[in-house]
Amino acid sequence: MTVNRVGLVVHGGRGEAGAAATAVHEWCAEHAVGCTDIDVWQEGSRHSAREEVDAAGDPDLIVTLGGDGTFLRGARLAAENDAMVLGVDLGRVGFLTEVPAQAVRAALDAVLEERITVESRMLLTMRASCRLEVPAQVETLLRYGRGPMLPPPRVRVECETGSDWGVALNVTALNDVVLEKLARDRQVSVGVYLAGRLLASYSADALLVATPTGSTAYSFAAGGPVVSPRTEGLVFTPVAPHMVFNRSVVAAPDEPIAFRVLERSGQAAVSIDGQLRGVLSPGDWIGVYAAPRRLKAVRLGPMDFYGRLRERMNLTDAPAALADGTAAPLWPVTTPPPGDLAHLALPPSPEDASWRP
């Protein structure tokens, strides 16, 4: 697989990230591959994804060194440039990163030698009744202890416009789009629409739309379902709603989810993958739907999502179940699967794992 230029996104607050970054630079020099650091947390003004990838020389592989937050920043760049993204795990509770830091050179070798799988992940994009902007006083407040904020989303000029359909924003979200209250003492009141029909009006701390990938992030913390990242769908989850119906709803990928801020509501903040990107006033709305582009995530072997779920969430077995005996693995086993199971995506047995760090 041809890799001409690598863009490197490094979590500057982790000392081990510096050593991993040195290993990436050395590998690139040995293989005559360009490598540019993309400092998305640089002091001063933040730049759009397009400006960042242009400044990096249009990388075709983004390597992130950090946790899931660093991966999300790299994913934003990769989606903008239709590049692949490879996550090196230096975090604490990672569902997105793929490679341990000590195996970063082996991972780059695997990319170059095409011993990888490129996994296609759903992304979200948006339309809004108006361009998103963050008032200066809000930005000043939220910059305490944080890096510079991202600029307001650009308008996608190639899309059709109209008063009914609003403004097409040039944003992508790998995890979620969140509409949340600005003031602690006042919830947001929002009409929630699925596939163009009103579901209900909510008074809540926040409302969010997550991808299957993002189902293990904020949506999970708010009581939403765990969804396989291979699933296609949009997960709507209310956060602390003042109503009896507090359940998540999983919509089909072609069923957009819209939020309209009601007349007597307070203002609401719009966050995309954890980054504040705008503030809505009563009467404003956003529509969230599956993006036409996809994220190209590099995988070096079968992804054991459910094993990672058990490990990351520290799941333990019920004492009553343990009292009934030790559970033996059902699938996979060491013998080949029978014909009626051959179509299933069963992971290899531990003895047959094709890639190890």
Side-chain angles (χ1 to χ4, degrees):
M1 182 172 294
T2 302
V3 177
N4 296 313
R5 179 166 291 277
V6 170
L8 196 56
V9 180
V10 182
H11 190 306
R14 298 190 180 277
E16 62 268 40
T22 299
V24 174
H25 279 287
E26 291 175 348
W27 184 92
C28 289
E30 293 168 10
H31 294 83
V33 174
C35 185
T36 303
D37 289 342
I38 305 176
D39 185 8
V40 297
W41 284 114
Q42 62 189 325
E43 289 302 323
S45 61
R46 290 286 297 277
H47 302 287
S48 69
R50 183 71 264 161
E51 291 169 330
E52 287 175 334
V53 296
D54 285 346
D58 291 325
D60 40 30
L61 174 66
I62 302 291
V63 177
T64 69
L65 305 176
D68 281 359
T70 309
F71 185 89
L72 287 172
R73 295 195 286 275
R76 181 173 63 89
L77 306 175
E80 179 69 28
N81 214 41
D82 196 31
M84 298 181 296
V85 60
L86 171 67
V88 177
D89 186 13
L90 297 169
R92 294 185 295 272
V93 187
F95 274 94
L96 301 176
T97 49
E98 166 77 4
V99 178
Q102 64 271 22
V104 63
R105 289 183 63 95
L108 291 170
D109 287 338
V111 173
L112 193 64
E113 297 165 9
E114 300 187 22
R115 292 184 286 107
I116 63 171
T117 299
V118 179
E119 188 175 76
S120 177
R121 292 285 185 99
M122 171 187 276
L123 297 168
L124 301 176
T125 191
M126 295 171 54
R127 283 180 176 261
S129 57
C130 57
R131 297 189 66 160
L132 291 185
E133 295 182 351
V134 178
Q137 63 271 25
V138 175
E139 180 175 357
T140 301
L141 176 65
L142 294 179
R143 281 192 61 174
Y144 178 77
R146 302 169 66 105
M149 296 181 65
L150 284 165
R154 294 174 291 136
V155 174
R156 285 185 287 147
V157 296
E158 78 279 7
C159 294
E160 295 181 18
T161 60
S163 57
D164 289 338
W165 292 97
V167 179
L169 300 179
N170 188 31
V171 296
T172 55
L174 176 60
N175 265 358
D176 48 43
V177 175
V178 180
L179 188 69
E180 55 192 329
K181 66 181 184 180
L182 276 177
R184 185 177 181 183
D185 64 345
R186 189 173 186 182
Q187 292 189 312
V188 289
S189 295
V190 178
V192 177
Y193 298 78
L194 271 73
R197 301 298 297 272
L198 178 66
L199 174 69
S201 294
Y202 288 76
S203 179
D205 283 358
L207 305 116
L208 64 89
V209 180
T211 63
T213 297
S215 70
T216 51
Y218 191 5
S219 178
F220 175 83
V226 174
V227 181
S228 167
R230 297 176 57 190
T231 304
E232 297 290 305
L234 283 69
V235 182
F236 160 67
T237 300
V239 181
H242 276 207
M243 59 190 299
V244 173
F245 185 75
N246 62 354
R247 302 304 179 91
S248 297
V249 177
V250 181
D254 60 351
E255 295 177 330
I257 300 177
F259 299 147
R260 182 185 293 275
V261 183
L262 300 182
E263 180 182 359
R264 298 181 184 275
S265 172
Q267 289 184 304
V270 179
S271 296
I272 301 170
D273 280 348
Q275 296 283 312
L276 177 65
R277 303 300 297 276
V279 173
L280 298 184
S281 297
D284 293 336
W285 59 263
I286 59 172
V288 182
Y289 52 99
R293 70 180 77 174
R294 311 276 295 190
L295 182 71
K296 298 178 179 178
V298 173
R299 295 293 173 202
L300 302 176
M303 182 182 181
D304 184 12
F305 172 73
Y306 302 106
R308 184 171 293 186
L309 177 68
R310 177 181 174 89
E311 174 189 342
R312 294 293 196 266
M313 298 301 176
N314 293 317
L315 301 184
T316 56
D317 301 312
L322 291 178
D324 287 334
T326 302
L330 179 60
W331 290 319
V333 291
T334 55
T335 57
D340 63 322
L341 298 181
H343 65 289
L344 298 180
L346 297 173
S349 62
E351 296 80 6
D352 298 332
S354 60
W355 184 87
R356 297 181 185 277

